Amino acid sequence: MSDVEIPPLSDQPYLIDDPEDDRPRLQGCECADCGKRVFPPVAVCPECLGENMEPLPLSREGLLYSYTAFEQGARWVGGPYIAAYIDMPEGVRIFTHIDVDDPGRLTCDMPVILRVTEPVVNADGREVLKFKFAP
Amino acid sequence: MRDVSIIGTGMMRFGKHLDKGLVELAWPVVKEAIAEAGVEKEDIGIAFCGTVGSAGIMAGQSILKTLGMTGIPIANVEGACSSSGIAVRLAWMAIRAGECDVALAIGADKMNRTGPRHAPDHGEDWDMAYGLAMHGLYAMRARRYMNDYGITEEQLSSVSVKAHKLGAKNEFAHIQKEVTLEEVMTSRMIADPLRLWHCCPVSDGAAAVVLAADDVAKKVCDKPVKIVASVQHSGKYMTGFRDMTMPEVTQRTAKEIYEKAGLGPEDLDLVEFHDAFTINELMYADAIGLSKPGEGVRLLEEGESTVGGRIPINPSGGLLSRGHPIGPTGAAQIVEVTRQLQGRGGARQVEGAKVGLTHVTGGGVSGLDHGACTMHVLAV
């Protein structure tokens, strides 16, 4: 498993510098034909099969749906780390990591905010994740 | 379409079998299942082998050539933890379709060779690539379930105590010992709130089932077990919010199998379901309709879900005790329920059992509750 390369998970960028305030922002996509929203951006709409997916900038704040503090994580990532699902106001759910010293501070449904820190690097020195969320 | 029954079963003790290869593990259970079925090996018209490929490709052919059984159609089936549940279903479909009268389903894997394989490891799946191992997925479900329904760590831990109490009586279980509540609650944390004793062990093993058209089954078998219904689905892809305390693929598969079998959860005498982690027993009891949402814990606390109770859940000790070699898990559940319905449950026999249900999900894929879910209703 450790020799698995992590390919780009999207043909289009999912972490962009917002030209309006020069801060990073996540970006999903929205189908111009049926309105389906997907994160990370995809080339084809899983709903209507249209190929007119347009960039959808996402809010920086979302709600913590659930989380776990991995003592023993996926072996291709290493650990420990805190993983979570974040529900975004745009209606997409994102799997990511949480940047917090004490996981005891976390509760379901609390607001969390995008934080672009040093990339998460696995045991092989490869970049795994470019962003986290934090309370 | 023709009715189909199970006429032979083969099972071994799951565990850490580092000294044996996959073929060595699997051929004895296939031989046992054929001997029990009372048919000749030449009567088998098709074979399906459920495996996640822990021994590479062509597992079915490698196992069956050892018994001189190649020359027939053999297909290797991958559906993560659901692999051999799907293999049994495909064997059932082949007989119903008239392809043959007798079919074989095997499950075989060695998780101690590869480490657990239960999700896309091609690197293109977002959740997996970024570190969502299966124990973390269930940990997040547990967190949300405990949050929504006020379940305590003590209640969650009680599932493990019950499972191992039953597993201690199962000669096929990987772990054949009881654990105390304190042992569970103080064991090493794996993914909060799941501790070591909240997780199934990493196992190797094999199981096999021989199926036959009813007219053949009646001739060769004293007590065939009828497959009343068989349903398999994949999870729906949802990019938005979904309720992780109520996995839609299990709920949907359960609803359909009750309709097809013409019965409901109240008609079941026992259930073997996918308790890879303690939270599963509470969550799946709800999803399968054995309890109202959030009330799965009541079955446990009122003693209804153990042997002697109203609806025994995992009399074998489940995946938590029997172990979870991934590929053979679904077939092992079907072996257990078949033998229970034949009155061969030994020290863990559910007295007078006539109708049983098996349920096995499979695989974590981003946006899907599970990659697969396979259920069977068996009856005598």
Side-chain angles (χ1 to χ4, degrees), chain A residues 1 4 7 9 14 36-37 40 65-72 76-77 81 85 87-88 91-93 95 97 109 128-129, chain B residues 114 116 121 123-124 126-132 135-136 139-140 143-144 147 188-192 239-244:
Chain A
M1 196 66 205
V4 166
L9 283 162
Y14 54 83
K36 177 80 176 173
R37 293 173 166 187
Y65 177 74
S66 193
Y67 60 96
T68 184
F70 274 103
E71 291 299 328
Q72 193 176 318
W76 53 97
V77 174
Y81 53 92
Y85 278 120
D87 286 350
M88 302 303 290
V92 291
R93 178 172 288 177
F95 177 77
H97 292 199
D109 298 323
V128 176
L129 188 58
Chain B
T114 56
D121 51 12
E124 293 177 39
W126 177 280
D127 293 7
M128 287 304 297
Y130 289 163
L132 185 57
H135 51 283
M140 282 199 274
R143 169 92 53 206
R144 191 71 211 193
N147 177 79
R188 181 162 60 90
M189 190 63 84
I190 301 293
D192 185 22
T239 60
F241 311 155
R242 65 185 200 276
D243 181 359
M244 285 177 67

Short mmCIF file of all heavy atoms in Angstrom, two decimals, chain A residues 1 4 7 9 14 36-37 40 65-72 76-77 81 85 87-88 91-93 95 97 109 128-129, chain B residues 114 116 121 123-124 126-132 135-136 139-140 143-144 147 188-192 239-244:
data_model
loop_
_atom_site.label_atom_id
_atom_site.label_comp_id
_atom_site.label_asym_id
_atom_site.label_seq_id
_atom_site.Cartn_x
_atom_site.Cartn_y
_atom_site.Cartn_z
N MET A 1 0.83 -1.21 0.00
CA MET A 1 0.00 0.00 0.00
C MET A 1 0.86 1.25 0.00
O MET A 1 0.55 2.24 -0.64
CB MET A 1 -0.88 0.00 1.25
CG MET A 1 -2.02 0.98 1.17
SD MET A 1 -3.17 0.51 -0.12
CE MET A 1 -3.88 2.09 -0.49
N VAL A 4 1.62 3.02 -3.21
CA VAL A 4 0.56 3.59 -4.03
C VAL A 4 0.80 5.08 -4.21
O VAL A 4 1.01 5.81 -3.24
CB VAL A 4 -0.82 3.35 -3.39
CG1 VAL A 4 -1.88 4.22 -4.04
CG2 VAL A 4 -1.21 1.90 -3.54
N PRO A 7 -2.64 10.00 -6.93
CA PRO A 7 -2.78 10.79 -8.14
C PRO A 7 -3.63 12.02 -7.86
O PRO A 7 -4.26 12.11 -6.81
CB PRO A 7 -3.51 9.84 -9.09
CG PRO A 7 -4.28 8.94 -8.21
CD PRO A 7 -3.56 8.85 -6.90
N LEU A 9 -6.66 14.01 -7.41
CA LEU A 9 -8.01 13.48 -7.21
C LEU A 9 -9.04 14.23 -8.03
O LEU A 9 -10.21 13.93 -8.00
CB LEU A 9 -8.35 13.55 -5.73
CG LEU A 9 -7.68 12.44 -4.92
CD1 LEU A 9 -7.67 12.76 -3.45
CD2 LEU A 9 -8.37 11.12 -5.17
N TYR A 14 -9.05 22.07 -6.57
CA TYR A 14 -10.09 22.12 -5.53
C TYR A 14 -9.70 23.07 -4.41
O TYR A 14 -10.48 23.35 -3.52
CB TYR A 14 -10.38 20.73 -4.99
CG TYR A 14 -9.19 19.97 -4.48
CD1 TYR A 14 -8.71 20.18 -3.20
CD2 TYR A 14 -8.54 19.04 -5.30
CE1 TYR A 14 -7.61 19.50 -2.74
CE2 TYR A 14 -7.44 18.35 -4.85
CZ TYR A 14 -6.97 18.58 -3.57
OH TYR A 14 -5.88 17.89 -3.11
N LYS A 36 -26.60 19.84 -10.03
CA LYS A 36 -25.95 18.92 -9.09
C LYS A 36 -24.60 19.50 -8.64
O LYS A 36 -23.84 20.01 -9.45
CB LYS A 36 -25.73 17.58 -9.79
CG LYS A 36 -25.01 16.53 -8.97
CD LYS A 36 -25.94 15.86 -8.01
CE LYS A 36 -25.25 14.73 -7.25
NZ LYS A 36 -26.15 14.21 -6.21
N ARG A 37 -24.34 19.41 -7.34
CA ARG A 37 -23.07 19.94 -6.80
C ARG A 37 -22.19 18.80 -6.30
O ARG A 37 -22.68 17.88 -5.64
CB ARG A 37 -23.37 20.91 -5.67
CG ARG A 37 -24.05 22.17 -6.17
CD ARG A 37 -24.50 23.05 -5.04
NE ARG A 37 -24.84 24.38 -5.54
CZ ARG A 37 -25.15 25.40 -4.76
NH1 ARG A 37 -25.14 25.25 -3.44
NH2 ARG A 37 -25.44 26.58 -5.28
N PRO A 40 -14.71 16.71 -4.63
CA PRO A 40 -13.97 17.69 -5.43
C PRO A 40 -14.55 17.77 -6.85
O PRO A 40 -15.37 16.93 -7.22
CB PRO A 40 -12.55 17.10 -5.45
CG PRO A 40 -12.75 15.63 -5.31
CD PRO A 40 -13.95 15.46 -4.42
N TYR A 65 -19.84 17.26 10.99
CA TYR A 65 -20.88 16.23 11.07
C TYR A 65 -20.47 15.12 12.04
O TYR A 65 -21.21 14.75 12.94
CB TYR A 65 -21.19 15.63 9.69
CG TYR A 65 -22.21 14.52 9.79
CD1 TYR A 65 -23.56 14.79 10.00
CD2 TYR A 65 -21.83 13.17 9.70
CE1 TYR A 65 -24.49 13.78 10.13
CE2 TYR A 65 -22.75 12.15 9.83
CZ TYR A 65 -24.09 12.46 10.04
OH TYR A 65 -25.01 11.45 10.18
N SER A 66 -19.27 14.58 11.83
CA SER A 66 -18.72 13.61 12.78
C SER A 66 -17.21 13.57 12.63
O SER A 66 -16.67 14.10 11.65
CB SER A 66 -19.33 12.22 12.58
OG SER A 66 -19.02 11.40 13.69
N TYR A 67 -16.53 12.93 13.57
CA TYR A 67 -15.07 12.96 13.59
C TYR A 67 -14.55 11.78 14.40
O TYR A 67 -15.29 11.17 15.18
CB TYR A 67 -14.56 14.27 14.21
CG TYR A 67 -15.03 14.48 15.63
CD1 TYR A 67 -14.24 14.12 16.70
CD2 TYR A 67 -16.30 14.98 15.88
CE1 TYR A 67 -14.69 14.27 18.02
CE2 TYR A 67 -16.76 15.13 17.18
CZ TYR A 67 -15.95 14.77 18.24
OH TYR A 67 -16.41 14.91 19.51
N THR A 68 -13.30 11.47 14.19
CA THR A 68 -12.64 10.46 15.03
C THR A 68 -11.17 10.81 15.16
O THR A 68 -10.57 11.31 14.20
CB THR A 68 -12.80 9.03 14.48
OG1 THR A 68 -12.20 8.11 15.40
CG2 THR A 68 -12.13 8.85 13.13
N ALA A 69 -10.62 10.56 16.34
CA ALA A 69 -9.18 10.71 16.52
C ALA A 69 -8.54 9.35 16.28
O ALA A 69 -8.71 8.43 17.07
CB ALA A 69 -8.89 11.21 17.93
N PHE A 70 -7.89 9.21 15.13
CA PHE A 70 -7.22 7.95 14.80
C PHE A 70 -5.95 7.82 15.63
O PHE A 70 -5.03 8.63 15.50
CB PHE A 70 -6.77 7.97 13.33
CG PHE A 70 -7.79 7.52 12.33
CD1 PHE A 70 -8.47 8.44 11.55
CD2 PHE A 70 -8.04 6.18 12.13
CE1 PHE A 70 -9.38 8.03 10.59
CE2 PHE A 70 -8.95 5.75 11.17
CZ PHE A 70 -9.63 6.69 10.41
N GLU A 71 -5.87 6.80 16.46
CA GLU A 71 -4.57 6.46 17.06
C GLU A 71 -3.79 5.65 16.04
O GLU A 71 -2.59 5.81 15.88
CB GLU A 71 -4.78 5.64 18.34
CG GLU A 71 -5.38 6.44 19.48
CD GLU A 71 -4.52 7.60 19.90
OE1 GLU A 71 -3.29 7.50 19.80
OE2 GLU A 71 -5.08 8.64 20.34
N GLN A 72 -4.53 4.76 15.40
CA GLN A 72 -3.95 3.90 14.38
C GLN A 72 -4.72 4.22 13.10
O GLN A 72 -5.88 3.84 12.95
CB GLN A 72 -4.16 2.44 14.80
CG GLN A 72 -3.38 1.44 14.03
CD GLN A 72 -3.61 0.05 14.60
OE1 GLN A 72 -3.63 -0.15 15.81
NE2 GLN A 72 -3.82 -0.91 13.73
N TRP A 76 -1.25 4.09 4.89
CA TRP A 76 -0.62 4.91 3.87
C TRP A 76 -0.59 6.40 4.25
O TRP A 76 -0.03 7.20 3.56
CB TRP A 76 -1.28 4.74 2.50
CG TRP A 76 -2.76 4.95 2.50
CD1 TRP A 76 -3.42 6.08 2.17
CD2 TRP A 76 -3.76 4.00 2.86
NE1 TRP A 76 -4.77 5.90 2.30
CE2 TRP A 76 -5.00 4.63 2.71
CE3 TRP A 76 -3.72 2.66 3.29
CZ2 TRP A 76 -6.21 3.98 2.99
CZ3 TRP A 76 -4.92 2.03 3.55
CH2 TRP A 76 -6.13 2.68 3.40
N VAL A 77 -1.24 6.72 5.37
CA VAL A 77 -1.19 8.10 5.84
C VAL A 77 -0.34 8.22 7.11
O VAL A 77 0.37 9.19 7.30
CB VAL A 77 -2.62 8.63 6.12
CG1 VAL A 77 -2.57 10.01 6.74
CG2 VAL A 77 -3.42 8.67 4.82
N TYR A 81 -4.01 11.06 13.67
CA TYR A 81 -4.62 12.25 13.07
C TYR A 81 -6.11 12.25 13.39
O TYR A 81 -6.67 11.22 13.77
CB TYR A 81 -4.39 12.33 11.56
CG TYR A 81 -4.80 11.11 10.77
CD1 TYR A 81 -6.06 11.00 10.21
CD2 TYR A 81 -3.90 10.06 10.56
CE1 TYR A 81 -6.43 9.89 9.46
CE2 TYR A 81 -4.26 8.94 9.82
CZ TYR A 81 -5.52 8.86 9.27
OH TYR A 81 -5.88 7.75 8.55
N TYR A 85 -15.92 14.49 8.78
CA TYR A 85 -16.78 14.91 7.66
C TYR A 85 -17.31 16.30 7.99
O TYR A 85 -17.84 16.53 9.08
CB TYR A 85 -17.96 13.96 7.47
CG TYR A 85 -17.62 12.71 6.69
CD1 TYR A 85 -17.77 11.45 7.25
CD2 TYR A 85 -17.18 12.80 5.37
CE1 TYR A 85 -17.46 10.30 6.54
CE2 TYR A 85 -16.88 11.65 4.64
CZ TYR A 85 -17.02 10.41 5.23
OH TYR A 85 -16.73 9.29 4.51
N ASP A 87 -19.90 19.33 6.75
CA ASP A 87 -21.04 19.68 5.91
C ASP A 87 -20.96 21.16 5.55
O ASP A 87 -20.96 22.03 6.43
CB ASP A 87 -22.36 19.37 6.64
CG ASP A 87 -22.63 17.88 6.68
OD1 ASP A 87 -21.91 17.12 6.01
OD2 ASP A 87 -23.57 17.47 7.40
N MET A 88 -20.88 21.44 4.25
CA MET A 88 -20.71 22.80 3.77
C MET A 88 -22.06 23.43 3.43
O MET A 88 -22.99 22.73 3.00
CB MET A 88 -19.80 22.81 2.53
CG MET A 88 -18.43 22.19 2.77
SD MET A 88 -17.51 22.98 4.11
CE MET A 88 -17.13 24.56 3.35
N GLY A 91 -24.05 22.48 0.39
CA GLY A 91 -24.73 21.19 0.26
C GLY A 91 -23.82 20.02 -0.08
O GLY A 91 -24.31 18.95 -0.45
N VAL A 92 -22.52 20.20 0.04
CA VAL A 92 -21.61 19.06 -0.17
C VAL A 92 -20.94 18.69 1.15
O VAL A 92 -20.77 19.54 2.03
CB VAL A 92 -20.52 19.36 -1.24
CG1 VAL A 92 -21.15 19.46 -2.62
CG2 VAL A 92 -19.71 20.60 -0.90
N ARG A 93 -20.58 17.42 1.28
CA ARG A 93 -19.88 16.93 2.48
C ARG A 93 -18.43 16.62 2.10
O ARG A 93 -18.18 16.00 1.07
CB ARG A 93 -20.58 15.69 3.02
CG ARG A 93 -19.88 15.09 4.24
CD ARG A 93 -20.71 13.99 4.87
NE ARG A 93 -21.89 14.52 5.57
CZ ARG A 93 -22.80 13.77 6.17
NH1 ARG A 93 -22.70 12.47 6.14
NH2 ARG A 93 -23.84 14.33 6.77
N PHE A 95 -14.64 15.07 3.30
CA PHE A 95 -13.79 14.33 4.24
C PHE A 95 -12.45 15.04 4.35
O PHE A 95 -11.82 15.35 3.34
CB PHE A 95 -13.57 12.89 3.78
CG PHE A 95 -12.64 12.12 4.68
CD1 PHE A 95 -13.07 11.64 5.90
CD2 PHE A 95 -11.31 11.91 4.32
CE1 PHE A 95 -12.21 10.94 6.74
CE2 PHE A 95 -10.44 11.23 5.17
CZ PHE A 95 -10.90 10.74 6.37
N HIS A 97 -9.12 16.44 7.47
CA HIS A 97 -8.54 16.31 8.80
C HIS A 97 -8.86 17.58 9.61
O HIS A 97 -9.12 18.64 9.03
CB HIS A 97 -7.02 16.15 8.72
CG HIS A 97 -6.58 14.84 8.11
ND1 HIS A 97 -5.33 14.32 8.27
CD2 HIS A 97 -7.24 13.96 7.31
CE1 HIS A 97 -5.23 13.18 7.63
NE2 HIS A 97 -6.36 12.93 7.03
N ASP A 109 -21.68 18.92 15.02
CA ASP A 109 -22.43 20.10 14.57
C ASP A 109 -21.78 21.44 14.93
O ASP A 109 -22.38 22.49 14.71
CB ASP A 109 -23.88 20.09 15.09
CG ASP A 109 -24.66 18.89 14.59
OD1 ASP A 109 -24.43 18.50 13.42
OD2 ASP A 109 -25.48 18.35 15.34
N VAL A 128 -0.12 14.36 1.50
CA VAL A 128 -1.40 13.64 1.49
C VAL A 128 -2.57 14.62 1.39
O VAL A 128 -3.51 14.41 0.65
CB VAL A 128 -1.54 12.77 2.76
CG1 VAL A 128 -2.90 12.10 2.79
CG2 VAL A 128 -0.44 11.73 2.80
N LEU A 129 -2.49 15.68 2.15
CA LEU A 129 -3.63 16.58 2.24
C LEU A 129 -3.13 18.01 2.37
O LEU A 129 -2.22 18.29 3.15
CB LEU A 129 -4.46 16.20 3.48
CG LEU A 129 -5.80 16.87 3.70
CD1 LEU A 129 -6.72 16.65 2.51
CD2 LEU A 129 -6.46 16.32 4.96
N THR B 114 -1.92 -9.57 3.53
CA THR B 114 -1.97 -8.25 2.87
C THR B 114 -2.26 -7.10 3.82
O THR B 114 -2.06 -5.94 3.46
CB THR B 114 -3.11 -8.23 1.82
OG1 THR B 114 -4.31 -8.59 2.47
CG2 THR B 114 -2.81 -9.20 0.69
N PRO B 116 -5.73 -5.62 6.09
CA PRO B 116 -7.13 -5.54 5.69
C PRO B 116 -7.31 -4.86 4.32
O PRO B 116 -6.71 -3.82 4.08
CB PRO B 116 -7.76 -4.70 6.81
CG PRO B 116 -6.85 -4.87 7.97
CD PRO B 116 -5.48 -5.04 7.40
N ASP B 121 -8.00 0.93 -3.25
CA ASP B 121 -6.65 1.35 -2.90
C ASP B 121 -5.88 1.78 -4.15
O ASP B 121 -4.67 1.69 -4.23
CB ASP B 121 -5.90 0.26 -2.12
CG ASP B 121 -5.95 -1.08 -2.82
OD1 ASP B 121 -6.36 -1.12 -3.99
OD2 ASP B 121 -5.59 -2.09 -2.20
N GLY B 123 -5.88 4.79 -5.10
CA GLY B 123 -5.44 6.15 -4.85
C GLY B 123 -6.36 7.22 -5.43
O GLY B 123 -6.12 8.40 -5.26
N GLU B 124 -7.43 6.83 -6.11
CA GLU B 124 -8.30 7.82 -6.74
C GLU B 124 -9.55 8.10 -5.92
O GLU B 124 -10.41 8.87 -6.35
CB GLU B 124 -8.71 7.35 -8.14
CG GLU B 124 -7.54 7.31 -9.10
CD GLU B 124 -7.95 6.78 -10.47
OE1 GLU B 124 -9.04 7.12 -10.93
OE2 GLU B 124 -7.17 6.02 -11.04
N TRP B 126 -11.19 9.79 -2.86
CA TRP B 126 -10.83 10.92 -1.98
C TRP B 126 -10.71 10.51 -0.52
O TRP B 126 -9.70 10.72 0.13
CB TRP B 126 -11.87 12.04 -2.15
CG TRP B 126 -11.62 13.21 -1.25
CD1 TRP B 126 -11.93 13.33 0.07
CD2 TRP B 126 -10.98 14.44 -1.61
NE1 TRP B 126 -11.53 14.54 0.55
CE2 TRP B 126 -10.95 15.24 -0.46
CE3 TRP B 126 -10.44 14.93 -2.81
CZ2 TRP B 126 -10.40 16.52 -0.45
CZ3 TRP B 126 -9.89 16.21 -2.79
CH2 TRP B 126 -9.87 16.99 -1.63
N ASP B 127 -11.80 9.92 0.02
CA ASP B 127 -11.81 9.60 1.45
C ASP B 127 -10.69 8.63 1.81
O ASP B 127 -10.01 8.78 2.83
CB ASP B 127 -13.16 8.97 1.85
CG ASP B 127 -14.32 9.96 1.75
OD1 ASP B 127 -14.10 11.08 1.24
OD2 ASP B 127 -15.43 9.61 2.16
N MET B 128 -10.52 7.62 0.97
CA MET B 128 -9.50 6.62 1.25
C MET B 128 -8.10 7.21 1.16
O MET B 128 -7.25 6.98 2.01
CB MET B 128 -9.63 5.45 0.28
CG MET B 128 -10.82 4.56 0.55
SD MET B 128 -10.83 3.90 2.22
CE MET B 128 -9.32 2.93 2.16
N ALA B 129 -7.87 7.96 0.08
CA ALA B 129 -6.53 8.52 -0.14
C ALA B 129 -6.12 9.42 1.01
O ALA B 129 -4.94 9.51 1.35
CB ALA B 129 -6.50 9.29 -1.46
N TYR B 130 -7.09 10.08 1.62
CA TYR B 130 -6.80 11.02 2.69
C TYR B 130 -6.93 10.40 4.07
O TYR B 130 -6.97 11.09 5.08
CB TYR B 130 -7.67 12.27 2.55
CG TYR B 130 -7.25 13.12 1.37
CD1 TYR B 130 -8.09 14.09 0.85
CD2 TYR B 130 -6.00 12.97 0.78
CE1 TYR B 130 -7.71 14.88 -0.23
CE2 TYR B 130 -5.60 13.75 -0.30
CZ TYR B 130 -6.45 14.70 -0.79
OH TYR B 130 -6.07 15.47 -1.85
N GLY B 131 -7.05 9.07 4.12
CA GLY B 131 -6.89 8.42 5.41
C GLY B 131 -8.13 7.88 6.08
O GLY B 131 -8.15 7.67 7.29
N LEU B 132 -9.20 7.63 5.31
CA LEU B 132 -10.39 7.07 5.94
C LEU B 132 -10.29 5.54 5.93
O LEU B 132 -10.83 4.89 5.04
CB LEU B 132 -11.67 7.52 5.25
CG LEU B 132 -12.94 7.04 5.96
CD1 LEU B 132 -12.96 7.52 7.40
CD2 LEU B 132 -14.18 7.49 5.25
N HIS B 135 -12.02 1.36 10.09
CA HIS B 135 -12.33 1.52 11.53
C HIS B 135 -12.66 2.98 11.85
O HIS B 135 -13.42 3.26 12.76
CB HIS B 135 -11.21 0.98 12.41
CG HIS B 135 -9.84 1.49 12.08
ND1 HIS B 135 -9.10 1.02 11.02
CD2 HIS B 135 -9.07 2.42 12.68
CE1 HIS B 135 -7.92 1.64 11.01
NE2 HIS B 135 -7.89 2.49 11.99
N GLY B 136 -12.12 3.90 11.06
CA GLY B 136 -12.43 5.32 11.26
C GLY B 136 -13.82 5.67 10.77
O GLY B 136 -14.53 6.49 11.36
N ALA B 139 -16.00 4.48 13.36
CA ALA B 139 -15.83 5.34 14.53
C ALA B 139 -16.66 6.62 14.37
O ALA B 139 -17.29 7.09 15.32
CB ALA B 139 -14.36 5.68 14.72
N MET B 140 -16.66 7.16 13.15
CA MET B 140 -17.45 8.38 12.93
C MET B 140 -18.95 8.09 13.00
O MET B 140 -19.74 8.91 13.47
CB MET B 140 -17.07 9.02 11.59
CG MET B 140 -15.76 9.77 11.68
SD MET B 140 -15.55 10.95 10.36
CE MET B 140 -14.85 9.89 9.13
N ARG B 143 -19.66 7.83 16.68
CA ARG B 143 -19.71 9.16 17.29
C ARG B 143 -21.07 9.81 17.05
O ARG B 143 -21.70 10.34 17.95
CB ARG B 143 -18.62 10.03 16.67
CG ARG B 143 -18.72 11.50 16.99
CD ARG B 143 -17.93 11.89 18.20
NE ARG B 143 -16.55 11.43 18.06
CZ ARG B 143 -15.75 11.16 19.09
NH1 ARG B 143 -16.20 11.30 20.32
NH2 ARG B 143 -14.52 10.75 18.89
N ARG B 144 -21.51 9.75 15.80
CA ARG B 144 -22.77 10.41 15.45
C ARG B 144 -23.96 9.69 16.09
O ARG B 144 -24.90 10.32 16.57
CB ARG B 144 -22.91 10.46 13.92
CG ARG B 144 -24.02 11.35 13.43
CD ARG B 144 -23.70 12.82 13.65
NE ARG B 144 -24.91 13.59 13.87
CZ ARG B 144 -24.97 14.92 13.85
NH1 ARG B 144 -23.88 15.64 13.62
NH2 ARG B 144 -26.09 15.54 14.08
N ASN B 147 -24.06 10.51 19.69
CA ASN B 147 -24.49 11.90 19.81
C ASN B 147 -26.01 12.03 19.63
O ASN B 147 -26.69 12.68 20.42
CB ASN B 147 -23.77 12.75 18.75
CG ASN B 147 -24.22 14.21 18.76
OD1 ASN B 147 -23.79 14.99 19.58
ND2 ASN B 147 -25.10 14.57 17.82
N ARG B 188 -6.80 -0.66 24.35
CA ARG B 188 -6.11 0.37 23.58
C ARG B 188 -7.08 1.09 22.62
O ARG B 188 -7.89 0.45 21.94
CB ARG B 188 -5.00 -0.33 22.78
CG ARG B 188 -4.14 0.51 21.92
CD ARG B 188 -2.87 -0.27 21.58
NE ARG B 188 -3.11 -1.52 20.85
CZ ARG B 188 -3.16 -1.61 19.52
NH1 ARG B 188 -3.00 -0.54 18.77
NH2 ARG B 188 -3.35 -2.77 18.93
N MET B 189 -6.98 2.41 22.57
CA MET B 189 -7.82 3.18 21.65
C MET B 189 -7.31 2.97 20.22
O MET B 189 -6.12 3.04 19.95
CB MET B 189 -7.77 4.67 22.02
CG MET B 189 -8.78 5.51 21.29
SD MET B 189 -10.49 5.05 21.67
CE MET B 189 -10.77 5.98 23.18
N ILE B 190 -8.25 2.72 19.30
CA ILE B 190 -7.89 2.54 17.89
C ILE B 190 -8.30 3.79 17.10
O ILE B 190 -7.49 4.42 16.42
CB ILE B 190 -8.57 1.28 17.30
CG1 ILE B 190 -8.14 0.03 18.09
CG2 ILE B 190 -8.25 1.13 15.82
CD1 ILE B 190 -6.68 -0.34 17.97
N ALA B 191 -9.58 4.10 17.14
CA ALA B 191 -10.10 5.34 16.55
C ALA B 191 -11.28 5.73 17.44
O ALA B 191 -12.32 5.09 17.40
CB ALA B 191 -10.54 5.13 15.10
N ASP B 192 -11.08 6.75 18.21
CA ASP B 192 -12.02 7.18 19.21
C ASP B 192 -13.44 7.33 18.61
O ASP B 192 -13.58 8.01 17.61
CB ASP B 192 -11.51 8.53 19.75
CG ASP B 192 -12.33 9.04 20.90
OD1 ASP B 192 -13.00 8.23 21.54
OD2 ASP B 192 -12.31 10.26 21.13
N THR B 239 -23.45 12.99 -2.91
CA THR B 239 -22.39 13.99 -2.76
C THR B 239 -22.70 14.94 -1.61
O THR B 239 -21.84 15.68 -1.17
CB THR B 239 -22.23 14.82 -4.05
OG1 THR B 239 -23.47 15.49 -4.31
CG2 THR B 239 -21.88 13.93 -5.22
N GLY B 240 -23.95 14.91 -1.17
CA GLY B 240 -24.37 15.85 -0.13
C GLY B 240 -24.41 15.19 1.23
O GLY B 240 -23.63 14.29 1.53
N PHE B 241 -25.32 15.63 2.07
CA PHE B 241 -25.41 15.14 3.44
C PHE B 241 -26.16 13.82 3.45
O PHE B 241 -27.11 13.62 2.71
CB PHE B 241 -26.14 16.15 4.32
CG PHE B 241 -25.62 17.56 4.17
CD1 PHE B 241 -26.43 18.65 4.44
CD2 PHE B 241 -24.32 17.79 3.74
CE1 PHE B 241 -25.95 19.94 4.31
CE2 PHE B 241 -23.82 19.08 3.60
CZ PHE B 241 -24.65 20.17 3.88
N ARG B 242 -25.72 12.91 4.30
CA ARG B 242 -26.47 11.67 4.48
C ARG B 242 -26.39 11.28 5.95
O ARG B 242 -25.42 11.60 6.64
CB ARG B 242 -25.95 10.57 3.57
CG ARG B 242 -24.54 10.12 3.85
CD ARG B 242 -24.11 9.10 2.79
NE ARG B 242 -22.98 8.29 3.21
CZ ARG B 242 -21.71 8.66 3.09
NH1 ARG B 242 -21.40 9.83 2.57
NH2 ARG B 242 -20.75 7.86 3.49
N ASP B 243 -27.42 10.57 6.39
CA ASP B 243 -27.50 10.17 7.79
C ASP B 243 -26.66 8.92 8.00
O ASP B 243 -27.06 7.83 7.61
CB ASP B 243 -28.97 9.91 8.16
CG ASP B 243 -29.13 9.51 9.61
OD1 ASP B 243 -28.10 9.40 10.33
OD2 ASP B 243 -30.28 9.28 10.03
N MET B 244 -25.50 9.09 8.60
CA MET B 244 -24.60 7.95 8.76
C MET B 244 -25.02 6.99 9.86
O MET B 244 -24.41 5.95 10.05
CB MET B 244 -23.17 8.44 9.00
CG MET B 244 -22.52 8.97 7.74
SD MET B 244 -20.87 9.65 8.01
CE MET B 244 -19.95 8.18 8.46
#
